[in-house]
Amino acid sequence: CPFCLKALIFLNCAGLTDRFVLREFEAGNDTETEIRSLLAPYFDKVTFPTVQFAPGEFINESDAIIEKYQPLSSVKAADMPALRFHVETVLPSISELHRENMELKKHIA
């Protein structure tokens, strides 16, 4: 997920990765089903990335995660070259490909 990667790049560049337990999965596997079931009571729609920051308390959305954990870092997100590159080049490209894919699917159905 490009948004999970965005959050992970931030956490890595901020030196915070070791404060988190990362749970990775492939779309559609049993681990994803388990995680979605765990999160379903807390969100109208389960999305990733999601961080549990206290028992029963979660946030999702990469920007919200970056905002919450930015104060723990001595480096500002705007000053992280890898994060800037991802946000400025990779995410827009993926978003455009996703839009194109959705349009193509409309014509197939």
Side-chain angles (χ1 to χ4, degrees):
C1 162
F3 300 103
C4 295
L5 182 57
K6 177 182 171 184
L8 187 58
I9 291 169
F10 166 77
L11 293 172
N12 189 46
C13 291
L16 302 174
T17 311
D18 61 343
R19 297 182 182 201
F20 294 83
V21 175
L22 302 175
R23 294 186 69 187
E24 298 178 27
F25 57 86
E26 292 181 28
N29 72 10
D30 290 343
T31 303
E32 179 187 11
T33 302
E34 174 189 331
I35 293 170
R36 284 187 181 279
S37 296
L38 172 76
L39 297 174
Y42 301 98
F43 297 101
D44 292 333
K45 181 180 179 187
V46 175
T47 62
F48 299 104
T50 298
V51 170
Q52 181 177 9
F53 59 92
E57 296 185 51
F58 300 86
I59 57 172
N60 59 9
E61 303 297 332
S62 57
D63 289 335
I65 293 166
I66 291 169
E67 183 178 326
K68 180 165 183 64
Y69 293 101
Q70 178 64 78
L72 300 178
S73 174
S74 61
V75 182
K76 297 291 180 200
D79 296 332
M80 297 176 179
L83 182 60
R84 269 198 340 268
F85 177 81
H86 184 73
V87 169
E88 294 171 4
T89 62
V90 176
L91 283 177
S93 297
I94 289 173
S95 294
E96 180 59 28
L97 288 170
H98 179 72
R99 277 191 292 280
E100 288 177 14
N101 191 36
M102 292 295 105
E103 281 300 313
L104 289 170
K105 284 184 177 182
K106 285 180 190 176
H107 296 290
I108 293 172

